[in-house]
Amino acid sequence: MVDRLLKDDAIEEKGERARMASFIGAMAIADLVKTTLGPKGMDKILQSTGRGRSVTVTNDGATILKSLHIDNPAAKVLVDISKVQDDEVGDGTTSVVVLAGELLREAEKLVNMKIHPMTIIAGFRMAAECARNALLLKAMDNKEDSDKFRSDLMNIAMTTLSSKILSQDKEYFADLAVDAVLRLKGSTNLEAIQILKKPGGSLKDSFLDEGFILDKKIGLGQPKRIENAKILVANTAMDTDKVKIYGARVRVDSMAKVAEIESAEKQKMREKVQKIIGHGINCFINRQLIYNFPEELFADAGILAIEHADFEGIERLALVTGGDIASTFDNPKSVKLGHCKVIEEIMIGEDRLIHFSGVQMGQACTIVLRGASEHVLDEAERSLHDALCVLSQTVNDTRVLHGGGWPEMVMAKEVDELARKTPGKKSHAIEAFSRALQAIPTIIADNAGLDSADLISQLRAEHHKEQSTAGIDVISGGVGDMKELGISESFKVKQAVLLSATEAAEMILRVDEIVTCAPRRREDRM
């Protein structure tokens, strides 16, 4: 009668079957994003079946996985780690999934050899600790020497961008990204860097602009240029100078009464505008609509009024100009105004925008991306965002590693040596860990259509020499010197990849039963 424990439609899988299901799901996800790894990685097109059939073309592991609707519970764990990697350090979203998938692939072989999952986990733990220490010893730190540090940042940005759509102009965009991040002076708040996308032109036409650009036009009859602006940023209704027909019921005897009501409303509006003008401002930016009447009043007072600035724009503008977002105007003393040197109208492509330069917060800047189509721009923005995230993390934690599969080989070598010293069944798990680490350079080589088996064995031989800086040089198709090629990665990204992947693999390994609940039926709720 044990069968009746769960409701009719619930499914449970035990032991071998459950483990099989979770291993296979996780490996399938890893194989899906595997081909996007490395400088020669390919892109995926994601098409939604909803309204509008929106199409996304992307190379970013986290974006691909976020868009998938997945049924397999183990695969969901991998999607989660790639999301966290994206939020935490920005880059390495594909590597983390691939590494976790490889660890599970190795673990499956060990489980088939009748090694208990807990033994495997203990071995993986030791191996991960050993690999992390190997990285710590090899990491370089140039924060004392600002020129060297800047070139490190450039190399990291170029390495991050080389697997993305911007790889053709990577020097140009790396320069933009490094400039933008160095302006932040060490804060990891990327809010101050605004990315504007304007279709038209080519990617090369993108530029970095100090200050802030608001995607709005300047109203009619208002000053087109203001110097030493005092800005009031507000979120308030400025559209009550007419009686709204909808939902308002006013009973009157004659039209004259309606006119009285309207003039009372107008008077109210006029007083509100007077209060706002009383703050001694010359630029008023509102989140909501501004009707013609208050707009006229502002124009008469020589104040630039901008309506309907989008919400992110408002928050960022308040942050950048150093003002507060106000919604009541009775007490001018308590409102912090924003300041900037010049407000003027500029043209980008066909569109007019409002440019605020010389803002209070010197860190702020705007990167304007130009490109052939929306899809190209979206992908460029994602790539640039990855680069900015990695750079801002590196400015805080200045340790740098070589790239191109070098860190994985360094870790694999140390982990192998640990496996030889460790007695007992754990040593099998540690050895498996080292094989999983070598899978990353293998995949980078495979994606470039190179002979991976040959290359990896060459690399391993190179790494047994002292102080080797050898990695895979995808462009020439052989083993290259990463130091000379200037391929660098951030230590923080690599460490996050290593630890997240190990923990995720460990979590999936612990599973021995999957219970899928039956969906609730309508009748049961009564």
Side-chain angles (χ1 to χ4, degrees):
M1 287 308 292
V2 182
D3 300 348
R4 303 293 303 129
L5 177 67
L6 299 170
K7 273 195 163 161
D8 288 348
D9 293 347
I11 313 160
E12 87 177 306
E13 295 181 356
K14 284 198 168 76
E16 256 330 88
R17 300 243 354 232
R19 201 166 282 133
M20 273 298 287
S22 47
F23 281 164
I24 286 174
M27 290 191 285
I29 285 288
D31 287 344
L32 176 77
V33 292
K34 203 185 212 173
T35 52
T36 66
L37 198 66
K40 299 271 183 182
M42 305 304 266
D43 290 10
K44 309 256 181 261
I45 289 188
L46 311 168
Q47 185 176 17
S48 78
T49 48
R51 283 220 327 270
R53 298 250 163 165
S54 61
V55 174
T56 316
V57 183
T58 180
N59 182 301
D60 180 39
T63 312
I64 296 170
L65 294 180
K66 247 186 273 186
S67 319
L68 301 178
H69 292 290
I70 293 171
D71 203 23
N72 186 304
K76 282 193 175 140
V77 174
L78 292 195
V79 175
D80 274 356
I81 57 169
S82 89
K83 266 190 200 153
V84 169
Q85 179 81 8
D86 196 31
D87 298 340
E88 189 59 34
V89 284
D91 197 22
T93 47
T94 314
S95 319
V96 74
V97 177
V98 170
L99 184 56
E102 288 300 329
L103 285 171
L104 289 169
R105 184 163 298 168
E106 294 293 336
E108 186 187 21
K109 294 175 195 161
L110 297 175
V111 172
N112 292 342
M113 285 162 55
K114 298 284 179 280
I115 297 178
H116 192 278
M118 283 302 151
T119 315
I120 302 176
I121 286 174
F124 277 3
R125 273 279 161 98
M126 289 169 65
E129 191 50 43
C130 165
R132 187 167 168 262
N133 292 337
L135 276 190
L136 278 170
L137 290 174
K138 297 273 187 174
M140 299 159 289
D141 197 342
N142 286 332
K143 69 166 180 276
E144 309 309 327
D145 179 354
S146 58
D147 293 344
K148 248 190 180 164
F149 183 49
R150 190 187 155 95
S151 76
D152 274 354
L153 285 180
M154 278 294 289
N155 286 341
I156 289 177
M158 274 160 36
T159 307
T160 302
L161 292 174
S162 63
S163 63
K164 308 271 196 286
I165 193 170
L166 301 176
S167 57
Q168 300 308 313
D169 315 314
K170 61 185 178 188
E171 281 98 3
Y172 185 68
F173 282 99
D175 205 33
L176 281 189
V178 173
D179 278 346
V181 169
L182 287 178
R183 291 179 76 104
L184 291 179
K185 304 188 181 58
S187 84
T188 50
N189 179 12
L190 293 177
E191 289 283 300
I193 300 176
Q194 180 199 17
I195 298 182
L196 255 191
K197 298 178 294 198
K198 284 280 164 212
S202 69
L203 283 169
K204 264 274 167 67
D205 298 339
S206 311
F207 60 91
L208 179 111
D209 197 312
E210 56 94 27
F212 184 88
I213 298 178
L214 193 65
D215 199 349
K216 285 281 156 231
K217 294 188 179 67
I218 291 183
L220 289 171
Q222 293 175 349
K224 293 275 188 247
R225 178 188 166 95
I226 293 182
E227 296 187 6
N228 294 334
K230 297 187 186 62
I231 306 166
L232 177 62
V233 185
N235 185 2
T236 180
M238 299 294 284
D239 50 0
T240 48
D241 59 340
K242 301 188 178 77
V243 174
K244 295 274 204 319
I245 306 299
Y246 308 107
R249 298 190 62 180
V250 185
R251 293 222 165 146
V252 286
D253 322 344
S254 65
M255 280 309 284
K257 289 281 186 0
V258 179
E260 274 176 35
I261 294 171
E262 284 204 344
S263 70
E265 293 253 338
K266 269 196 161 167
Q267 194 49 40
K268 220 168 86 185
M269 194 74 232
R270 190 173 271 131
E271 282 165 14
K272 187 170 186 179
V273 172
Q274 286 308 329
K275 275 182 193 163
I276 292 173
I277 295 173
H279 286 68
I281 56 172
N282 49 15
C283 173
F284 175 70
I285 295 173
N286 194 14
R287 163 86 186 72
Q288 299 174 26
L289 281 172
I290 303 179
Y291 264 14
N292 321 16
F293 178 62
E295 192 168 37
E296 268 174 44
L297 294 177
F298 282 129
D300 292 344
I303 290 177
L304 169 62
I306 300 167
E307 61 176 7
H308 242 197
D310 51 342
F311 199 70
E312 279 184 3
I314 279 275
E315 290 206 332
R316 198 176 270 145
L317 186 66
L319 170 90
V320 164
T321 55
D324 288 341
I325 297 179
S327 49
T328 56
F329 310 102
D330 295 331
N331 189 352
K333 299 265 187 309
S334 65
V335 178
K336 240 177 93 181
L337 296 181
H339 294 281
C340 80
K341 292 202 179 105
V342 181
I343 301 180
E344 57 190 346
E345 198 172 52
I346 56 170
M347 298 276 289
I348 295 179
E350 310 256 305
D351 300 346
R352 293 182 175 178
L353 303 105
I354 303 172
H355 180 227
F356 298 77
S357 53
V359 290
Q360 189 98 2
M361 184 171 157
Q363 294 105 311
C365 57
T366 301
I367 294 177
V368 180
L369 289 178
R370 307 298 309 278
S373 71
E374 290 289 340
H375 300 142
V376 174
L377 284 175
D378 289 344
E379 179 58 4
E381 181 187 24
R382 275 191 291 272
S383 316
L384 199 61
H385 183 260
D386 280 6
L388 291 173
C389 283
V390 176
L391 290 175
S392 68
Q393 294 291 344
T394 313
V395 171
N396 276 359
D397 182 343
T398 49
R399 288 169 292 185
V400 180
L401 299 163
H402 296 303
W406 176 85
E408 282 80 10
M409 294 310 285
V410 168
M411 293 191 278
K413 179 185 162 200
E414 291 297 322
V415 172
D416 251 349
E417 281 172 15
L418 176 71
R420 297 208 187 98
K421 294 176 200 155
T422 313
K425 282 187 177 174
K426 275 188 210 162
S427 62
H428 289 296
I430 297 174
E431 214 171 316
F433 195 91
S434 127
R435 278 200 299 277
L437 281 171
Q438 287 174 22
I440 288 195
T442 311
I443 292 167
I444 291 178
D446 279 341
N447 285 346
L450 306 171
D451 179 358
S452 58
D454 180 38
L455 271 177
I456 298 303
S457 48
Q458 279 183 35
L459 256 186
R460 204 179 304 127
E462 279 292 322
H463 272 269
H464 274 285
K465 300 174 187 160
E466 280 302 299
Q467 296 298 332
S468 162
T469 52
I472 292 179
D473 177 7
V474 183
I475 311 303
S476 72
V479 172
D481 185 346
M482 295 294 118
K483 197 171 178 182
E484 281 173 24
L485 292 169
I487 298 176
S488 309
E489 294 188 62
S490 164
F491 170 78
K492 199 162 180 185
V493 174
K494 273 291 167 231
Q495 176 180 309
V497 166
L498 177 72
L499 301 179
S500 310
T502 314
E503 280 168 18
E506 194 176 304
M507 195 164 139
I508 295 171
L509 260 177
R510 286 171 185 269
V511 175
D512 76 331
E513 182 167 352
I514 299 176
V515 181
T516 314
C517 294
R520 273 224 197 113
R521 293 253 174 81
R522 281 275 167 82
E523 307 79 273
D524 299 355
R525 291 188 196 157
M526 294 311 204

